[in-house]
Amino acid sequence: MKKQKSPLLNSGKKFFRSGRYIDYSFTVPALAFIAIFMIYPIWYNIVMSFKEINISNLTDASQQKFIGFANFSAIFADKYFWNSFQNTFVFVLFSLVFQFSVGFLFALYFNKQFRGAKWMRAIILIAWMNPGIITGAIFKWLLAGDIGIFNYLLMQIGIISEPINFLASTQTSLASVILGNVWIGIPFNMVILLSGIQGIGNELYESAVIDGAGSVKKFFYITVPMLKPTIMVLLLLGFIYTFKVFDIIYAMTSGGPANSSQILPYYSYEQSFKMFKFGEGAAASCISFVLIALLAVVYIHFSNKEEMEA
C-alpha cells in the first residue's frame, strides 16, 4: 500500500522548485528593517505608556509597574499638555494655510515659460532640502533681538523704533516658529502643485479661451477643479508632516518662553528626557501617533481614490 504524500509537503516542494523563494527572500531585509526600526519602537512605546517608568527603573523591567491609564490621566490633568495641544493645531493650521497659498502662487508662476525658471525653482528647493535643524538655526539668527536682520530691516523702514526679541516673547514665539516651518513647506507644496498643473491638458484652456473665459474663470473653473484630488492629498500629507515637527521648535525656541511655542512632539520630548517621566512621555507620543494614524488612513483613502480617477 503506497503512502500518500502530505499536500503541504507537495506544495513546499513545488514552491522551492519554482524558485519563487528567491523572489520572497529579497523582501526579508526590508521586513526586518520595518520590524526592528518601526514596529518594535511603536509597540515598545505603547507598552511604556501603561507603565510607571522613571530614571531609577528605566533599565530594570522587573521594577516597572503596570499602572493602566494612569499616565494618560496624568497628562490629561496637566495644563501644559492642553497648552501644547492647542499650540499644535494653531501651528499646523497657519503653517498649512501659508505654505499652501504661497506654494500655489509659485506653482502658477513657474508654470509659465521664461528664462531662468529652472534655476529659480532649484534655488527655492534648497529651503526644502536643508535639514530642519539648520533652517531653525538660520531663523533663530534672522529673528534675534540684537543682531537679527528682521529687526534691522523693520527699523530701517520705520515700522518699529526699537528691536523686538521675537523668540523671547510669548506673544511672537509661536508665530516665529510658524514662519520657519512655512519657509520649509513652500517648496514642497510648489513642486506637487506644479506637477499637477502641468498634467492638465492645454486643450481645456484653449476651449475656455474660445468661449471667452478670462484668467480668473480658467483658474476657478479648470485649474482648481482638476487639482482637487491633488490638493486634498497635499493638505492631508502636509498636516501629517507638520503635526510631527520637532527640529524647528528645538532649534528656535525649545518650546519657550513659558511653553508658548511648545507643541505635542516637544511636550513628549520634555516629559521623557527633561522631566524623566518616560511613561507620561510615551502616553503623549501615543496620542500623537493615534491622531497621525487616523490622518494617514484618510490620506491612503484619498490616494487610492485619486489613482482610480486617474
Side-chain angles (χ1 to χ4, degrees):
M1 198 172 172
K2 286 185 179 181
K3 279 188 179 181
Q4 289 187 349
K5 292 184 179 180
S6 169
L8 185 62
L9 185 61
N10 288 332
S11 61
K13 286 182 177 180
K14 288 180 181 179
F15 177 78
F16 282 101
R17 285 173 183 171
S18 64
R20 281 186 295 170
Y21 71 93
I22 297 176
D23 298 332
Y24 285 103
S25 66
F26 285 107
T27 65
V28 172
L31 292 174
F33 180 86
I34 292 171
I36 295 170
F37 295 103
M38 295 179 67
I39 296 176
Y40 176 73
I42 292 171
W43 170 252
Y44 187 67
N45 186 81
I46 294 171
V47 172
M48 285 179 65
S49 67
F50 293 102
K51 291 184 175 182
E52 184 182 3
I53 304 176
N54 50 51
I55 195 67
S56 63
N57 65 0
L58 179 62
T59 58
D60 188 359
S62 63
Q63 298 296 319
Q64 299 171 1
K65 297 179 182 178
F66 179 81
I67 56 174
F69 290 95
N71 287 322
F72 291 91
S73 299
I75 63 171
F76 286 149
D78 185 4
K79 65 178 182 179
Y80 295 114
F81 169 77
W82 293 110
N83 175 69
S84 65
F85 195 83
Q86 179 182 338
N87 286 345
T88 300
F89 282 96
V90 172
F91 178 78
V92 171
L93 176 63
F94 282 95
S95 292
L96 283 181
V97 168
F98 285 106
Q99 66 190 24
F100 175 79
S101 302
V102 179
F104 209 153
L105 291 174
F106 274 122
L108 292 170
Y109 178 71
F110 285 113
N111 189 45
K112 299 178 180 180
Q113 299 295 328
F114 60 92
R115 182 182 247 179
K118 292 182 179 179
W119 288 103
M120 290 176 68
R121 283 202 303 265
I123 292 171
I124 292 174
L125 280 173
I126 293 174
W128 180 53
M129 294 167 63
N130 273 337
I133 198 78
I134 293 177
T135 302
I138 292 171
F139 270 86
K140 187 175 183 178
W141 171 73
L142 291 174
L143 295 169
D146 47 359
I147 59 170
I149 193 170
F150 274 30
N151 274 300
Y152 174 78
L153 293 174
L154 291 174
M155 290 177 67
Q156 290 296 314
I157 296 171
I159 296 177
I160 59 174
S161 57
E162 58 183 18
I164 300 172
N165 200 335
F166 293 100
L167 301 178
S169 170
T170 56
Q171 303 297 319
T172 56
S173 60
L174 186 59
S176 300
V177 294
I178 289 172
L179 179 63
N181 192 61
V182 167
W183 178 264
I184 294 175
I186 286 172
F188 177 75
N189 282 259
M190 180 196 74
V191 169
I192 301 299
L193 291 169
L194 179 59
S195 63
I197 292 171
Q198 291 178 343
I200 301 173
N202 289 327
E203 60 274 6
L204 293 174
Y205 293 106
E206 291 171 0
S207 300
V209 171
I210 293 172
D211 292 336
S215 299
V216 176
K217 286 188 175 181
K218 285 191 291 182
F219 176 76
F220 284 105
Y221 289 99
I222 298 177
T223 305
V224 173
M226 294 296 291
L227 286 178
K228 187 178 178 181
T230 304
I231 290 171
M232 291 300 297
V233 171
L234 179 61
L235 290 176
L236 286 168
L237 198 59
F239 195 107
I240 293 170
Y241 284 162
T242 309
F243 197 93
K244 62 184 183 65
V245 166
F246 173 83
D247 43 13
I248 288 286
I249 307 291
Y250 181 82
M252 292 182 67
T253 63
S254 296
N259 304 103
S260 59
S261 62
Q262 186 183 68
I263 63 174
L264 274 177
Y266 200 85
Y267 174 85
S268 176
Y269 163 78
E270 281 201 332
Q271 292 299 306
S272 297
F273 300 106
K274 289 189 176 182
M275 306 297 292
F276 301 113
K277 299 177 181 178
F278 297 101
E280 293 180 18
S285 294
C286 284
I287 294 170
S288 298
F289 173 74
V290 169
L291 292 172
I292 293 174
L294 290 173
L295 288 168
V297 170
V298 177
Y299 165 70
I300 292 169
H301 169 73
F302 278 101
S303 297
N304 292 336
K305 187 178 180 181
E306 184 180 5
E307 288 177 4
M308 290 176 66
E309 290 177 355

